[in-house]
Amino acid sequence: MTELEAVKERHSVRSYQDKKIESDKIQKLNELINECNEKGNLNIQLVNDAGKTFNKLLNKFMGLGSAPSVIACIGKDDETLDERLGYYGQKIVLYAQTLGLNTCWAGTFSPKNVNAEIKNGERLAIVIAIGYGINNGRVRKSKSAEQVVRGGIAGKPDWFMKGVEAALLAPTAVNQQKFEIVLHEDKSVEIVDKGGVLSKIDKGIVKYNFETGAGISGKIR
């Protein structure tokens, strides 16, 4: 499975099998996590035993209490942290999909029960449930390209529209999709954060999906 295929096939999964992730897949995930941490100046950690990360009543009702493992999204706390965690976290999420694993970004969790190392000056912003889902999730209702592209889609180049298509498949908090995509005259692309719950993390996720769909990297504002 390619990364773009993972974008199209990946859905949020909230209920998981009682099955641990194999050691070879743990190793592969950790190799990518280390790479992302170096590039993004982050401290993302894969916690093999999710423990009571999702012990709140809401998460138990939603099924996340069954997730065997969790990815703790951590980094030095500054104004860019959430976006960087969204960007590199989505890279990890898509790679997990290619390994046959399922995931769910989760903003509701018990921070004190996440068995991760958080250094002075760092913040645990969000976690990602990971494991083998009971199913592969389902397609969520999405906005149209016309609703998220500033100025409409008429005359927009093919590579841009492929990026928009992938961006619309990105998971966002409570499926709010509060972002706008702008193609500037110099052909640069900007993802505009329109606010809302966890919107900066969402911006990073959307940015990574857009780059994957458009076949470009590191050129999105």
Side-chain angles (χ1 to χ4, degrees):
M1 183 188 301
T2 66
E3 191 173 44
L4 183 55
E5 288 172 337
V7 166
K8 296 177 179 180
E9 294 189 18
R10 186 264 170 198
H11 306 292
S12 296
V13 171
R14 302 185 183 281
S15 298
Y16 291 82
Q17 301 176 41
D18 183 17
K19 178 181 178 182
K20 297 297 183 182
I21 303 172
E22 297 89 339
S23 59
D24 63 321
K25 293 185 179 180
I26 292 288
Q27 181 180 348
K28 290 177 180 178
L29 285 166
N30 278 324
E31 287 174 356
L32 179 60
I33 287 171
N34 290 339
E35 177 186 320
C36 289
N37 283 340
E38 183 176 350
K39 289 182 177 179
N41 190 26
L42 298 167
N43 188 22
I44 299 173
Q45 299 166 43
L46 173 61
V47 182
N48 292 340
D49 184 358
K52 295 183 178 179
T53 299
F54 304 112
N55 69 339
K56 292 185 177 181
L57 181 61
L58 176 62
N59 282 320
K60 286 185 177 180
F61 175 76
M62 295 167 67
L64 284 174
S66 63
S69 300
V70 65
I71 297 170
C73 297
I74 303 165
K76 186 176 180 181
D77 195 6
D78 64 24
E79 62 181 10
T80 69
L81 176 61
D82 284 2
E83 185 176 328
R84 285 184 287 121
L85 286 173
Y87 184 89
Y88 286 102
Q90 183 66 356
K91 181 178 180 69
I92 296 163
V93 160
L94 294 178
Y95 182 62
Q97 187 74 26
T98 70
L99 295 177
L101 297 166
N102 301 107
T103 53
C104 181
W105 287 88
T108 303
F109 60 98
S110 180
K112 66 180 181 180
N113 290 329
V114 180
N115 188 24
E117 180 184 356
I118 305 174
K119 301 174 184 176
N120 288 336
E122 291 185 337
R123 175 167 59 91
L124 170 60
I126 196 168
V127 299
I128 303 166
I130 183 169
Y132 289 96
I134 290 177
N135 55 49
N136 291 315
R138 61 185 178 86
V139 177
R140 300 281 178 175
K141 184 178 180 180
S142 174
K143 291 182 177 180
S144 66
E146 289 86 350
Q147 288 176 295
V148 299
V149 175
R150 183 182 294 179
I153 63 174
K156 296 295 191 294
D158 184 60
W159 65 267
F160 177 82
M161 292 308 301
K162 287 180 179 178
V164 172
E165 179 186 358
L168 287 169
L169 295 175
T172 59
V174 294
N175 201 35
Q176 59 187 348
Q177 294 186 305
K178 287 191 174 182
F179 61 86
E180 187 176 42
I181 306 175
V182 184
L183 178 62
H184 293 284
E185 290 184 1
D186 63 359
K187 303 303 180 184
S188 65
V189 178
E190 180 182 6
I191 307 296
V192 178
D193 168 16
K194 298 181 71 175
V197 179
L198 299 174
S199 63
K200 288 183 172 57
I201 289 175
D202 288 349
K203 180 179 178 180
I205 296 171
V206 170
K207 183 183 290 189
Y208 193 85
N209 266 34
F210 183 97
E211 290 184 357
T212 302
I216 59 178
S217 180
K219 299 179 180 179
I220 311 297
R221 288 188 272 163

